[in-house]
Amino acid sequence: MFIYLSKKIAIPNSTRLKCVSWNKDQGYIACGGEEGLLKVLKLETQTDDAKLKGLAAPSNLSMNQTLEGHSGAVQVVTWNEQYQKLTTSDQNGLIIVWMLYKGSWYEEMINNRNKSVVRSMSWNASGQKICIVYEDGAVIVGSVDGNRIWGKELKGIQLAHVAWSPDSKILLFGMANGEIHIYDNQGNFIVKMTISCLINVTGAISIAGIHWYPGTEGYIEPDCPCLAVCFDNGRGQIMRYENDENPILLDTQMNVASIQWNHCGSVLAVAGCQKNITMDKDVNVVQFYTPFGEHLRTLKVPGKQMSAVSWEGGGLRIGLAVDSFIYFANIRPDYKWGYCSNTVVYAYTRPDRLEYSVVFWDTKNNEKFVKYVKSLISITTSGDFCILATKADDNQPQEAEPESGNATFVLVLCNSIGTPLDSKYIDIDPLFVTMTKTHVIAASKEAFYTWQYRVAKKLTAMEINQVAKTRKEGRERVYHIDDTPTGNTDGTLDFAKAFTATRDHICCITATDKTLIVGRESGIIQRYSLPNVALLQKYTLNYRAYQLSLNCNSSRLAIIDIAGVLTFLDLDSRASSGDGFVGDQAAAPSGDPSKFERKDVWDMKWANDNPDLFAMMEKTRMYVFRNLDPEEPIQTSGYICNFEDLEIKSVLLDEIMKDPERPNKDYLINFEIRSLRDSRALIEKVGIEDASQFIEDNPHPRLWRLLAEAALQKLDLKTAEQAFVRCKDYQGIEFVKRLGNLQSESMKQAEVVAYFGRFEEAERMYLDMDRRDLAINLRIKLGDWFRVLQLLKTGSGDSDDALLEQAYNAIGDYFADRQKWVNAVQYYLQGRKQERLAECYYMLEDYDGLERLANSLPENHKLLPDIGQMFVTVGMCEQAVNAYLKCNQPKAAVEACVHLNQWNKAVELAKDHNMKEIGPLLSKYASHLLEKNKRLEAVELYRKAHHFLDAAKLMFKIADEEAKKRTRPLRVKKLYVLAALLVENYHEQMKTSQQSKAKGKKSEATSALAGLLEEDASSTDNRIVDNAWRGAEAYHFFLLAQRQLYDGNVDAAMKTALHLRDYEDIIPAVEIYSLLAICSSANRAFGTCSRAFIKLESLESLSPEQRQSYEELALEIFTKYPPKDNRKSELDSISEGVEGKLPTCIVTGRIISEYQFWMCSSCKHCAMEQEINRYNFCPLCHSALA
C-alpha cells in the first residue's frame, strides 16, 4: 500500500483535539477537544465529471456543525453506525447521545454520574448495546433506546478501556495499570488476559488502545488475527481470540497514542510519535501493519502531538488528530488484482464466506465469472493468463506432486475466465510473483523459483495427461539469492536449499521475456538472463526498491522505492558497465535517467509497444512521459491496467470494491495520449496531407491506422493504401484494392461504411441502390438471420426458396443453441430440417410430435433408426418398433423389444419375420434368471413371451415351496391364484390358436374341441392343467374357515373345514384336522370332533409325544361330552347329488343346492347369488365381477 497526506483542516481558536471518530456508514467525522469542543464534519465530493471519482474528485466540507453541550474537554467520541447516533463524554463525566434530525445534530439523551470520569465507551457490533466504563471502576451497559441493562462497581480497580467481542458475548476491560480482564456480557469475571508482548518490560505502562475487528467485511484468511492490543511504550499484540496462547507480537518502537483497524481488518494503523533520541522534538508517525504483524508503511505527520486516528469507512482515507488540526491521508491499497486480455481480475472478502471471491470481469462483454479461493496470497497477470498464489489446504490431496513432500503453497495458472489450466505446489512462500509470456517466477525472502509454464492450445487430452505426468527437468528450478548461476543446467528443483538464511533479503522482482531483475533490501539489484537463468550483473542503489518494472525491450528499469520515489536505471549497452549509474550519455537520444526523480508515485506502467513511453500515478494525477518528458497530467485515482496503441486503460478499483459483485463499465477509463489526440485533431480540422506529415514525424502504427481510416472515409484510396502498408494491415490493403475495382461511387461508400462496422447504414445504402441481394449477403456474413428473413420476405423474388429454408434453419439453430426448443421447432418445421427437428422434439419430450415426424418420413429414411433409438431410450416400445420396421430393420426392432422386456412383442416379431434366434435367446435369459434365483422375474419373462404353461409350472413350484415353508397362508393363496390364472391364459391361447387355424371352416364348438385335443396331446402335465385351481381352493377354504371361526360363526366354520378333507395333498393333514376339531368342538358337534381326533391320532407324521398329548386332550373332552353330533351334518347328506358332486359356495363354504347360482368368468367357481351381491371382486381369484 502507499499513503500520502492529502488535506488539512484547522480547528478554530487553535483548540487542541483529544479524539476523532469517523462514521463508517454515513461518513460523518466527529472530533472532540479542549474547552468542550465537539464538531461533526462531513467531506463530500462534488463533481459533474463522470471520470472524476473517488479520491481524485475534489472534496469539501458539506457539514461543519459545532455541537454545544459539553463544558470540559471532550475525551471520548464513539459512533453507533446502525442507529445513526453519536455518543460523547467529557472530563466532567457528562455523557451526551446525539441524533441527526433534518440534517443537524441534536441532544437526544444526557447522563451524568458526577462521581467519576468516563474513560471509554463502546457500542457492540449490532449497535444494540453500549458499555461505558468509569475511572473509578463503575461499568454500565445500556441499550440503544437509553435503558440501563445492568451496572456494576468493580472494587479497587481503575478502568481505562473497554471492547466488545464480535459476537457481543465477551467484554474486555483495560485497567489503568495495563492489565486486561475478560468478562462475560453479564459482567461476570472470567479470566485475566495473558499479555505476552510485555515480557521483560519494566516501568509503568498504560494501554494505548484495544480494537477488536468485528468481521463485518469478512476476514482476509480463515482464523485471521483480529483483536489488537497496544501499549503506550510501543509494544502490542494481535490475537485470534481473547485467550490466544501465541499472539502475534509487535514492537513499534514509538510512543503510541491510538490504534484502529481498517474497515476489513486487513490493516492496523498505530499512531503516535517516534522515540527520537537525537533531536529534541518528536516526529509524529502512523505505522501500518498487517494482521500478521508485518510492517507495511510509515507515514510521517507534521505537528507536535498526535492524539487520535480513525479510518474512513471504505479504508481509502484516514483521519488524524494532531494538535488543533485534522490531517487526512489518502491510501492506495494493495488490492489483489490484475488485468489480462480485456479482463480485470480482482479479489475481495465477504463476511459470509471464508474464501476470497475472485472475480474475472470481462470488460468487453461485461460478463463476470466468480471463483472462490481459500487463503489467496496474490494475483499476477500477463498476456491472457493469470497466476493465483495460495496457501495449500492442509487436507488437500497432493498425489499430483508426490516428490514435493509437504508443499505449503500453490501457484494456479488460470485463463481469463478463471478456468484452472495448470498448478504447481511449491515450498517457498510466494511473497513476490511475476509473470512473462513463458515463465512464472515466485520469490520468497531467500530464494526464487522459476516455472516455464505451458498452455495446451492444440494438445489432445492424452498428450495433456502425458505432459502432466512427466515433470520435465528444467521446466521448474529453484535458485538461492546468494548463488551465482551460470545459465547451464545447474538449477534443480530442490527446495531444501531455499531455506538457507541470507543476510540481505529479496524485496521485489520483475521480469520480461529475456531478463529477470531481483531487488534486495540493501539496495543491490541483480540482473539475470532468461530463459536459462544466469547472473549477468549487480547494480547498487542507495535506497530500497519497493516496485520494479522493465520497459518492453528490457533496456531500462523503473524503480519505485519504499517512500514512493520513482527513479530509472539503464541496463542497456548504452550504459557504461559500472556497478552504478550511467557514465557520459551524450549519444543517447532520450533524457538522462540519472537525473530523473518523481515523488509520491504509487503505480507506473511502461507502454507495451514503445520503450520510451510510460504512464505513472502520482497522488491523484496520472502523468504520461515520452523520453522522460511529461505531458499535462490527468486527474484520476485509477490503477493502470494497460498501456498500448497510445491509449491507457485504467480501472477505478476503489469504486469497484465498494460493490464488488456488480462492477460497472463506467469504472473503466480509457485515456488517449497527446500524439493520438493531436493527430485526430489535425485530421478533423486541418486535413489529411498535414496530418500525414505530422504522423511521418511521429510514426506509430496506431497513428497510421487512424490516417488510413480517415482517408477511407474520404475515399482517398492512395493515402489509405500507403497508410495501411505502413501499419502492416494486409486486410486493409486488400480492401482498398477491391474498392478500386468498383465503379459506382455510392457502392464504394457503402463498402467503406460496412468496413467500419456501421452495418445498418450500409444495408440502407444497398437497399437505396436497389441491391437487396447485397444487403442479404451482408446480413448472412454477419450471421443475422432474423434480418435476412425480413429482407427475404419484403422481396417478391421466387428464387429465394432455398435461401428462405436456409434462413429458417439458421434461426432454428440459433434457438436450439440457446436451448429454446419450442421456438426452434417452429423454424425447423418451416425449414424442413428433420434431423434437428427430431432432436428438438426429443429435448422437449414431445413424443407425439416425434411419432408424427416418424410417420411423415418416407420409408428407409436415414433418420428413422435414430428416432427408433430415441423411443427406446424413453421406453416407448411400440413407436420404436414402428420406426425400425419402417426402415426395414426388424432385427433392431426385436432387440428394442428385448431391451425393454417386451418379450411377447419380441416373440411375435420374430415369428412374423421368421427369425430363429428369439427362442434360444428367451430360454437363455430365463435360465440366467433362474440361476440367479430370480424366479418371479423368470415367470414374468415367460408370461410376457406368452409361454404361459412354462410360467405356470414355475409358479406352482414356487407356491408349493412357499407352502412347505409354512409362509403366511394368504401369500401362498395368492401364489396359487397367480399360477391358476396363468393356466387359464394357456387354455385361452390354445383355443384362439385353433380358431385362427380353422377360420371359417367349422363351427366354434369344434374348433374349441380341437384346441382341447391339441392341448391334451401337447401337455404332459395333466395335474397342472386340469386341477389348476386346487391349491387356490384349498388355501381359500382354509383361510375362510379361520375367519368364520374368529367371527364367531362356528357352524359355518365347521362346514368350511369339512371341505378341507379333500385337500390333504396340499395342506398338511395335521393342520386340517386340528382346525376341524376346534371348529366342531366350538359348534358342539362332538361326533365330527371325535372323528377328527381319531384321524389326528392315526397320523404317521406325529411324534409319540404329540400323539400322547392329543390322546390326553381327547380324553379330557370326551369324558365331559358324548361323541355324538346333535345335528345331522348337511354336508354328509347331500354332498352326493343327482349329477355327481354339487358346487360349493366360495363366499360361505356351504353346498349350493339351488338351481340358480352365480359363476365367476375367470376361475369358473360358484357362489350363491344373494351372498355374492355384497362383493365387487371374486373372493377366490379376485377378478372384477361383471
Side-chain angles (χ1 to χ4, degrees):
M1 62 176 271
F2 182 71
I3 181 162
Y4 58 88
L5 291 170
S6 58
K7 202 179 189 71
K8 171 175 161 186
I9 294 177
I11 301 297
N13 310 330
S14 302
T15 312
R16 290 177 66 85
L17 291 175
K18 293 271 191 190
C19 46
V20 61
S21 177
W22 202 324
N23 181 322
K24 302 269 183 291
D25 285 1
Q26 291 89 28
Y28 299 111
I29 305 162
C31 51
E34 293 176 346
E35 300 159 25
L37 169 92
L38 177 60
K39 274 177 123 29
V40 175
L41 317 169
K42 188 171 186 183
L43 281 177
E44 272 196 313
T45 54
Q46 281 134 354
T47 169
D48 308 325
D49 187 355
K51 283 189 180 177
L52 279 185
K53 281 201 172 73
L55 299 179
S59 60
N60 36 28
L61 287 175
S62 65
M63 172 182 281
N64 180 2
Q65 186 189 349
T66 305
L67 278 53
E68 306 284 347
H70 289 290
S71 51
V74 177
Q75 291 175 330
V76 188
V77 294
T78 174
W79 285 102
N80 180 345
E81 274 114 359
Q82 283 75 3
Y83 293 92
Q84 282 207 34
K85 291 186 188 327
L86 170 66
T87 317
T88 58
S89 84
D90 61 21
Q91 68 189 49
N92 307 329
L94 172 70
I95 301 174
I96 303 180
V97 179
W98 309 83
M99 55 177 266
L100 184 66
Y101 176 70
K102 290 190 177 170
S104 298
W105 294 92
Y106 294 98
E107 279 179 24
E108 182 186 12
M109 292 178 254
I110 197 159
N111 176 16
N112 198 348
R113 217 174 124 249
N114 284 331
K115 276 194 194 163
S116 174
V117 50
V118 174
R119 276 286 160 227
S120 180
M121 299 185 287
S122 174
W123 287 97
N124 69 352
S126 64
Q128 297 279 353
K129 298 180 190 170
I130 188 170
C131 183
I132 302 166
V133 298
Y134 289 85
E135 196 169 48
D136 63 356
V139 178
I140 296 173
V141 173
S143 69
V144 67
D145 47 18
N147 296 325
R148 179 173 173 149
I149 299 173
W150 57 266
K152 201 164 189 162
E153 301 263 348
L154 305 181
K155 293 280 179 286
I157 289 180
Q158 271 198 312
L159 290 175
H161 282 276
V162 61
W164 287 94
S165 67
D167 58 6
S168 307
K169 288 184 178 160
I170 286 174
L171 281 165
L172 303 182
F173 293 135
M175 315 296 167
N177 62 1
E179 287 181 2
I180 296 176
H181 292 190
I182 303 173
Y183 280 71
D184 70 6
N185 59 3
Q186 297 306 315
N188 305 314
F189 176 74
I190 301 175
V191 70
K192 264 192 196 182
M193 184 187 284
T194 346
I195 308 286
S196 324
C197 60
L198 291 181
I199 294 168
N200 307 336
V201 171
T202 53
I205 44 147
S206 64
I207 302 172
I210 306 175
H211 191 191
W212 200 333
Y213 164 62
T216 39
E217 299 271 330
Y219 294 92
I220 57 173
E221 67 172 70
D223 205 23
C224 179
C226 54
L227 165 56
V229 177
C230 204
F231 296 87
D232 62 346
N233 64 355
R235 298 288 182 97
Q237 63 186 44
I238 310 177
M239 307 157 73
R240 290 170 179 78
Y241 43 89
E242 70 278 3
N243 40 23
D244 188 350
E245 290 300 317
N246 51 358
I248 280 146
L249 305 181
L250 297 178
D251 185 358
T252 59
Q253 314 260 323
M254 55 192 258
N255 298 320
V256 181
S258 168
I259 66 167
Q260 201 187 15
W261 285 109
N262 68 347
H263 67 302
C264 63
S266 62
V267 183
L268 176 69
V270 181
C273 53
Q274 261 175 350
K275 300 173 178 169
N276 219 340
I277 301 143
T278 50
M279 294 158 63
D280 298 339
K281 67 179 182 58
D282 293 342
V283 179
N284 291 316
V285 285
V286 187
Q287 305 277 18
F288 295 90
Y289 292 90
T290 68
F292 304 100
E294 292 148 18
H295 179 254
L296 290 169
R297 282 282 163 157
T298 303
L299 173 70
K300 291 188 176 165
V301 185
K304 288 200 183 74
Q305 194 196 353
M306 175 148 20
S307 55
V309 57
S310 187
W311 287 86
E312 182 200 22
L316 298 176
R317 281 189 291 196
I318 195 163
L320 308 164
V322 184
D323 305 334
S324 59
F325 299 97
I326 302 177
Y327 284 91
F328 292 98
N330 284 358
I331 288 160
R332 306 313 298 130
D334 288 328
Y335 292 117
K336 293 178 167 52
W337 80 287
Y339 178 83
C340 55
S341 65
N342 292 319
T343 303
V344 177
V345 188
Y346 59 91
Y348 66 98
T349 54
R350 283 170 37 178
D352 56 345
R353 289 194 85 106
L354 286 173
E355 306 101 328
Y356 267 90
S357 307
V358 181
V359 180
F360 290 79
W361 173 38
D362 178 351
T363 55
K364 212 170 184 177
N365 311 327
N366 207 8
E367 292 179 319
K368 68 186 212 331
F369 308 90
V370 184
K371 184 178 168 68
Y372 296 104
V373 181
K374 258 205 181 130
S375 309
L376 179 73
I377 299 170
S378 65
I379 296 176
T380 314
T381 49
S382 165
D384 300 344
F385 304 104
C386 105
I387 285 278
L388 305 177
T390 68
K391 278 190 187 164
D393 220 350
D394 304 335
N395 51 16
Q396 208 161 352
Q398 288 174 358
E399 305 91 57
E401 309 285 344
E403 67 268 42
S404 67
N406 53 345
T408 40
F409 302 97
V410 196
L411 300 178
V412 186
L413 176 73
C414 297
N415 63 9
S416 60
I417 57 169
T419 311
L421 305 174
D422 199 354
S423 65
K424 287 283 179 255
Y425 288 84
I426 58 172
D427 286 348
I428 61 169
D429 189 349
L431 299 172
F432 314 101
V433 185
T434 185
M435 187 176 178
T436 70
K437 288 192 180 67
T438 52
H439 285 75
V440 174
I441 297 110
S444 65
K445 287 181 173 168
E446 301 85 17
F448 60 91
Y449 155 91
T450 66
W451 163 28
Q452 181 177 352
Y453 65 91
R454 285 203 189 163
V455 181
K457 276 193 178 148
K458 303 246 175 2
L459 294 182
T460 63
M462 218 163 86
E463 286 174 301
I464 289 172
N465 285 341
Q466 277 166 345
V467 169
K469 276 187 197 123
T470 58
R471 185 168 185 168
K472 286 226 176 55
E473 234 350 282
R475 283 191 59 209
E476 293 175 77
R477 293 187 180 162
V478 176
Y479 301 91
H480 193 276
I481 186 66
D482 295 330
D483 294 350
T484 50
T486 57
N488 306 336
T489 53
D490 55 357
T492 52
L493 187 67
D494 173 19
F495 281 111
K497 64 180 180 192
F499 299 111
T500 321
T502 175
R503 286 226 178 111
D504 188 3
H505 288 163
I506 298 177
C507 61
C508 48
I509 60 173
T510 186
T512 58
D513 292 342
K514 51 190 185 193
T515 310
L516 165 66
I517 303 283
V518 180
R520 304 178 70 169
E521 289 183 353
S522 64
I524 290 178
I525 284 183
Q526 296 182 191
R527 172 178 167 206
Y528 298 86
S529 62
L530 280 180
N532 37 6
V533 178
L535 180 61
L536 300 179
Q537 210 165 1
K538 286 191 179 183
Y539 306 89
T540 312
L541 309 175
N542 48 5
Y543 46 84
R544 178 170 144 201
Y546 174 70
Q547 186 186 328
L548 302 174
S549 181
L550 276 166
N551 63 357
C552 61
N553 63 6
S554 310
S555 62
R556 187 171 281 179
L557 176 69
I559 304 153
I560 301 177
D561 75 0
I562 196 83
V565 178
L566 171 69
T567 49
F568 288 97
L569 176 60
D570 267 343
L571 307 176
D572 219 352
S573 50
R574 298 191 281 204
S576 63
S577 52
D579 62 344
F581 282 113
V582 213
D584 176 31
Q585 228 202 349
S590 59
D592 180 2
S594 58
K595 306 274 193 303
F596 182 89
E597 182 179 288
R598 299 292 293 217
K599 290 192 174 64
D600 285 328
V601 178
W602 52 271
D603 193 11
M604 76 86 59
K605 194 79 154 184
W606 289 98
N608 296 350
D609 44 19
N610 184 337
D612 288 331
L613 264 183
F614 69 90
M616 54 161 256
M617 296 299 306
E618 183 178 297
K619 292 191 175 174
T620 52
R621 289 195 286 283
M622 181 197 288
Y623 289 90
V624 177
F625 284 80
R626 180 190 287 272
N627 299 345
L628 304 184
D629 289 335
E631 296 182 2
E632 65 277 3
I634 303 159
Q635 278 290 104
T636 176
S637 62
Y639 286 71
I640 305 170
C641 296
N642 199 19
F643 185 2
E644 68 181 325
D645 273 349
L646 312 181
E647 263 191 323
I648 299 166
K649 221 186 215 87
S650 158
V651 59
L652 299 175
L653 281 175
D654 303 335
E655 302 302 312
I656 287 179
M657 290 300 179
K658 286 179 188 166
D659 186 3
E661 291 173 40
R662 284 174 284 278
N664 182 339
K665 280 290 261 281
D666 299 347
Y667 300 154
L668 202 76
I669 303 176
N670 283 336
F671 300 103
E672 296 188 339
I673 78 162
R674 192 166 56 200
S675 58
L676 184 56
R677 296 197 301 265
D678 291 353
S679 310
R680 188 166 276 139
L682 274 174
I683 289 169
E684 281 169 12
K685 302 204 170 63
V686 184
I688 285 181
E689 283 71 34
D690 301 19
S692 68
Q693 194 50 53
F694 172 77
I695 295 170
E696 198 78 58
D697 300 339
N698 302 287
H700 190 283
R702 174 69 196 268
L703 300 180
W704 284 117
R705 196 159 69 244
L706 192 71
L707 181 67
E709 288 171 0
L712 271 183
Q713 296 271 19
K714 298 196 162 62
L715 291 181
D716 174 354
L717 299 187
K718 190 159 167 278
T719 314
E721 187 167 16
Q722 283 169 348
F724 275 132
V725 169
R726 294 296 288 268
C727 64
K728 301 192 172 95
D729 182 349
Y730 182 68
Q731 279 86 357
I733 299 169
E734 287 293 297
F735 177 67
V736 173
K737 278 189 183 155
R738 207 173 81 233
L739 280 187
N741 296 337
L742 292 175
Q743 303 307 312
S744 101
E745 204 64 11
S746 51
M747 259 319 249
K748 284 184 187 172
Q749 268 164 355
E751 287 290 323
V752 169
V753 168
Y755 176 79
F756 284 120
R758 302 206 297 275
F759 302 116
E760 306 295 324
E761 207 178 310
E763 182 190 302
R764 214 170 39 249
M765 292 167 87
Y766 284 138
L767 290 174
D768 292 348
M769 287 187 277
D770 207 15
R771 288 297 300 272
R772 192 171 60 115
D773 55 329
L774 290 178
I776 289 173
N777 282 345
L778 172 71
R779 286 298 173 184
I780 290 177
K781 249 184 218 158
L782 293 174
D784 182 356
W785 290 98
F786 291 96
R787 186 76 186 116
V788 172
L789 200 59
Q790 274 178 324
L791 290 169
L792 284 170
K793 284 184 176 166
T794 53
S796 53
D798 296 338
S799 58
D800 297 339
D801 284 359
L803 251 180
L804 253 176
E805 276 191 15
Q806 193 187 347
Y808 281 130
N809 290 332
I811 293 173
D813 289 343
Y814 168 87
F815 283 122
D817 290 345
R818 283 154 187 73
Q819 299 189 342
K820 297 190 171 154
W821 308 108
V822 183
N823 310 29
V825 164
Q826 298 164 4
Y827 285 102
Y828 284 140
L829 278 171
Q830 287 172 291
R832 300 210 285 266
K833 191 169 188 177
Q834 287 136 337
E835 295 82 6
R836 295 304 296 266
L837 195 54
E839 192 185 321
C840 290
Y841 281 140
Y842 184 61
M843 297 308 275
L844 281 171
E845 299 180 17
D846 176 3
Y847 302 117
D848 301 342
L850 199 53
E851 203 176 341
R852 283 199 303 276
L853 177 63
N855 295 340
S856 68
L857 290 174
E859 286 194 4
N860 292 339
H861 191 279
K862 63 177 190 299
L863 192 57
L864 283 165
D866 300 348
I867 293 180
Q869 185 52 38
M870 286 177 188
F871 281 130
V872 171
T873 55
V874 291
M876 297 174 73
C877 184
E878 196 181 323
Q879 289 86 336
V881 167
N882 293 343
Y884 281 130
L885 291 180
K886 194 165 183 182
C887 62
N888 211 355
Q889 295 188 7
K891 197 159 187 283
V894 172
E895 275 165 15
C897 294
V898 170
H899 177 65
L900 295 173
N901 271 332
Q902 302 288 330
W903 286 91
N904 48 354
K905 189 86 178 152
V907 174
E908 197 182 303
L909 281 169
K911 278 187 187 156
D912 292 354
H913 292 274
N914 295 330
M915 284 186 196
K916 297 285 179 287
E917 56 265 25
I918 192 74
L921 190 69
L922 182 68
S923 52
K924 196 164 140 197
Y925 187 47
S927 59
H928 163 74
L929 287 173
L930 290 172
E931 259 169 46
K932 288 208 167 162
N933 215 3
K934 296 187 173 171
R935 288 188 300 182
L936 287 171
E937 281 92 332
V939 171
E940 181 67 0
L941 173 71
Y942 278 134
R943 194 179 73 84
K944 283 198 171 153
H946 288 189
H947 289 203
F948 293 120
L949 197 58
D950 297 337
K953 281 184 205 166
L954 253 179
M955 203 70 211
F956 275 122
K957 208 165 164 188
I958 295 169
D960 290 346
E961 276 177 28
E962 290 285 314
K964 280 203 186 70
K965 279 192 216 155
R966 320 292 312 113
T967 318
R968 294 202 327 278
L970 184 59
R971 176 175 163 77
V972 181
K973 177 192 164 184
K974 285 179 180 170
L975 291 168
Y976 275 123
V977 168
L978 277 174
L981 287 172
L982 285 168
V983 175
E984 292 297 327
N985 286 343
Y986 168 66
H987 290 322
E988 196 60 35
Q989 187 187 24
M990 280 302 179
K991 216 161 88 185
T992 50
S993 74
Q994 276 306 323
Q995 274 175 8
S996 58
K997 277 184 193 166
K999 249 201 184 108
K1001 288 185 191 162
K1002 308 185 193 74
S1003 66
E1004 214 171 284
T1006 40
S1007 69
L1009 182 64
L1012 287 174
L1013 287 172
E1014 184 183 336
E1015 200 176 291
D1016 249 9
S1018 66
S1019 87
T1020 48
D1021 314 79
N1022 278 342
R1023 182 184 79 83
I1024 290 180
V1025 178
D1026 298 348
N1027 300 337
W1029 289 97
R1030 253 183 82 78
E1033 287 162 14
Y1035 273 93
H1036 175 69
F1037 289 130
F1038 184 55
L1039 290 163
L1040 182 62
Q1042 310 231 22
R1043 276 197 212 109
Q1044 290 168 329
L1045 177 62
Y1046 281 105
D1047 290 346
N1049 198 345
V1050 284
D1051 186 43
M1054 185 180 97
K1055 285 173 185 162
T1056 309
L1058 281 168
H1059 286 301
L1060 288 173
R1061 292 173 308 179
D1062 301 343
Y1063 298 107
E1064 282 179 34
D1065 56 334
I1066 291 165
I1067 297 175
V1070 66
E1071 301 254 333
I1072 294 174
Y1073 289 106
S1074 302
L1075 180 63
L1076 182 57
I1078 291 172
C1079 293
S1080 52
S1081 67
N1083 197 20
R1084 301 198 164 283
F1086 292 108
T1088 311
C1089 183
S1090 139
R1091 287 200 293 281
F1093 266 107
I1094 292 167
K1095 189 81 178 176
L1096 276 173
E1097 286 165 24
S1098 66
L1099 288 176
E1100 277 101 35
S1101 59
L1102 294 186
S1103 65
E1105 294 87 46
Q1106 285 172 312
R1107 189 169 290 139
Q1108 179 68 34
S1109 54
Y1110 277 126
E1111 284 170 4
E1112 284 169 13
L1113 187 59
L1115 200 60
E1116 200 179 315
I1117 293 173
F1118 298 121
T1119 48
K1120 279 190 194 170
Y1121 305 104
K1124 289 210 302 281
D1125 283 1
N1126 44 10
R1127 294 210 292 281
K1128 181 97 175 75
S1129 167
E1130 56 180 86
L1131 201 66
D1132 296 346
S1133 61
I1134 45 174
S1135 63
E1136 296 300 320
V1138 192
E1139 294 160 9
K1141 230 173 169 184
L1142 286 175
T1144 312
C1145 171
I1146 53 172
V1147 179
T1148 59
R1150 292 212 293 278
I1151 302 285
I1152 302 174
S1153 47
E1154 290 103 11
Y1155 281 113
Q1156 278 208 321
F1157 51 80
W1158 172 89
M1159 186 187 239
C1160 171
S1161 57
S1162 297
C1163 63
K1164 310 289 187 283
H1165 283 73
C1166 313
M1168 297 180 198
E1169 284 199 346
Q1170 68 272 29
E1171 296 291 345
I1172 197 73
N1173 288 341
R1174 290 174 300 148
Y1175 288 86
N1176 292 331
F1177 294 94
C1178 167
L1180 180 65
C1181 68
H1182 298 273
S1183 52
L1185 302 188

